């Protein structure tokens, strides 16, 4: 599709990454690149575009089929078209928020999304570390209601592409903070750094695509605290840069857990529980990691409160 | 030439150029050799609830093993980052040493094994734990 925003943006991706590397090499900006990490991100992105193209036609076909039964006739052009684009902008971004939240909070979909979070770096190349298994995870179904409402499937596809391109440039440490009103409304490098952080306090936050307002609305917004710099990657980082490990490690983990399951409850828990769910609670989830962090904070606060009067004496 | 072919060629050329630029720039994060203080800092981040009873550092400073009760906490460098996993201290003590490296297995596809450099000065198992090994 010639209009596909992601394809059109490829030269921009290449030039901006080369610039981020060059300017950091010259000391103008501060970004870190590790060769194998960069190669892994770029190869994940390149093969994702090839693998993703296989089910893309079928997925688009399904949305065209759903569109046949649409509730409304929504124009793409003209005065009404402008309103339609504005409405789609909001609805697609809301859909993205829930897709992304599901992709973090339920293991089956996390298995397809985790690869994007496996880099211990946060630079523009990290943005291109894209999934190979998004098609099989079925999350594309979440966008079908938009076609059912009456947005033409091509229009939805273009808006999805615009969202993906928007999310590219926020993968950088070079931009620290943008003006307040922008940080209040839009997903920014600062907000998305928090999303990629593995610090317990930052887990499961900032699922936004373009607008951060959804996180503020649904209670998943966490601001970046300069006192606690983001450490990037997953809670349990990968042991090497093997592409197959990046793409499939969580799927294999699910398979191993299912093989040792002893009840339907365990099967459901391992598949659709939060990542890290285990029958006896012996593994950590985002929730338990946050609880432990909070307990440490509370213990620290109590210890310093107890030592304060002594210090005053 | 079709549109798809042009995209493929541009993409491949771009990937090669970007990897070459990252190689040329040499701007990874600094990873100085681990000393006891750095290793403890790293372990405190990776295993914040585990007290450290004993600490062993790989001879090339690229990894460390800490005993925390009956657990062995392992951290090792991968690229310019670190990976952390644990295994039982009993299993860690009997980990094989081959070609100057002690090899730990974690039973985790995401990080199946770690290979930490051993030298005469810091042998594996650590001295002082031979009794524990025998028991
Ligand atoms: Zn994510
Ligand atoms: Zn991201």
């Amino acid at each position: 599709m010639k209009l596909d925003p992601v394809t059109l943006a490829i030269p921009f991706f290449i030039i901006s990454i080369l610039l981020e590397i060059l300017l950091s090499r010259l000391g103008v900006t501060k970004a870190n690149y590790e060769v194998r990490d960069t190669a892994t991100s770029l190869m994940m992105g390149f093969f994702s575009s090839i693998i993703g193209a296989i089910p893309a036609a079928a997925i688009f076909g399904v949305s065209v089929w759903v569109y046949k039964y649409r509730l409304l006739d929504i124009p793409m052009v003209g005065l009404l078209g402008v309103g339609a684009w504005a409405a789609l902008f909001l609805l697609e971004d809301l859909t993205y928020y829930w897709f992304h939240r599901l992709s973090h909070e339920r293991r089956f979909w996390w298995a397809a999304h985790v690869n994007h979070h496996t880099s211990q770096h946060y630079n523009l190349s990290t943005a291109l570390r894209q999934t190979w298994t998004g098609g099989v995870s079925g999350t594309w179904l979440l966008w079908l209601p938009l076609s059912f409402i009456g947005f033409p499937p091509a229009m939805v596809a273009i808006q999805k592409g615009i969202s993906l391109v928007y999310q590219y440039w926020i993968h950088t440490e070079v931009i620290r903070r943008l003006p307040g009103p922008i940080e209040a409304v839009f997903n920014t490098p600062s907000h998305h750094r928090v999303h990629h952080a593995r610090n317990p306090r930052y887990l499961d936050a900032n699922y936004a695509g373009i607008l951060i307002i959804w996180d503020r609305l649904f209670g998943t917004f966490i601001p970046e605290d300069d006192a606690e710099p983001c450490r990037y990657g997953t809670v349990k980082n990968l042991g090497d840069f093997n592409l197959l490990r990046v793409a499939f490690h969580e799927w294999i983990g699910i398979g191993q857990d299912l093989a040792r399951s002893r009840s339907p409850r365990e099967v459901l828990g391992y598949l659709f529980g939060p990542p890290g769910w285990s029958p006896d609670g012996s593994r950590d989830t985002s929730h338990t990691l946050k609880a432990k962090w909070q307990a440490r904070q509370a213990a620290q606060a109590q210890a310093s409160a107890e030592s304060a009067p002594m210090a005053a004496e | 030439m079709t549109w798809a072919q042009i995209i493929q060629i541009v993409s491949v050329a771009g990937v090669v150029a970007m990897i070459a630029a990252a190689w040329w720039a040499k701007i990874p994060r600094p990873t100085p050799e681990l000393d006891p203080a750095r290793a403890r800092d790293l372990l405190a981040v990776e295993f914040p609830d585990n007290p450290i009873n004993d600490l062993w550092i790989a001879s090339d400073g690229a990894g460390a093993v800490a005993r925390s009760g009956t657990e062995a906490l392992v951290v090792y460098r991968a690229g310019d980052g670190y990976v952390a996993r644990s295994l039982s201290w009993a299993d860690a003590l009997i980990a094989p040493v081959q070609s100057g490296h002690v090899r730990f297995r974690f039973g985790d596809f995401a990080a199946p094994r770690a290979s930490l450099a051993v030298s005469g000065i810091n042998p594996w198992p650590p001295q002082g734990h031979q009794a524990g090994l025998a028991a």
Side-chain angles (χ1 to χ4, degrees), chain A residues 116 171 192 195-196:
Chain A
H116 179 63
H171 289 83
H192 202 59
H195 178 67
H196 274 255

Side-chain angles (χ1 to χ4, degrees), chain A residues 30-54:
Chain A
K30 174 99 187 66
N32 291 116
Y33 276 78
E34 203 275 346
V35 185
R36 281 178 293 172
D37 175 85
T38 306
T40 303
S41 292
L42 299 177
M43 303 289 266
M44 286 301 296
F46 178 71
F47 287 114
S48 166
S49 68
I50 293 172
I51 295 165
I54 299 166

Side-chain angles (χ1 to χ4, degrees), chain A residues 208-224:
Chain A
I210 298 177
L211 300 171
I212 197 69
I213 56 170
W214 311 118
D215 286 285
R216 296 183 189 277
L217 198 62
F218 298 120
T220 49
F221 176 69
I222 297 179
E224 184 180 31

Side-chain angles (χ1 to χ4, degrees), chain B residues 59-121:
Chain B
S59 63
D60 59 359
V65 184
R67 183 174 71 79
S68 177
T70 57
E71 260 190 296
L73 316 177
V74 183
V75 287
Y76 60 100
R77 200 161 69 204
D80 61 352
Y82 287 90
V83 182
R85 290 293 189 278
S86 63
L87 70 166
S88 79
W89 182 247
D91 285 343
L93 285 178
I94 56 169
V97 178
Q98 294 159 355
S99 317
H101 287 77
V102 56
R103 296 171 199 279
F104 299 108
R105 291 191 165 277
F106 304 118
D108 179 353
F109 181 78
R113 65 191 78 84
S115 178
L116 272 60
V118 173
S119 74
I121 305 163

Side-chain angles (χ1 to χ4, degrees), chain A residues 25 33 120-121 198 239 245, chain B residues 25 27 29 46 80 109-110:
Chain A
R25 174 72 176 78
Y33 276 78
Q120 295 197 38
H121 279 272
R198 58 195 287 270
R245 200 180 312 286
Chain B
I27 46 171
R29 290 195 191 100
E46 298 295 337
D80 61 352
F109 181 78

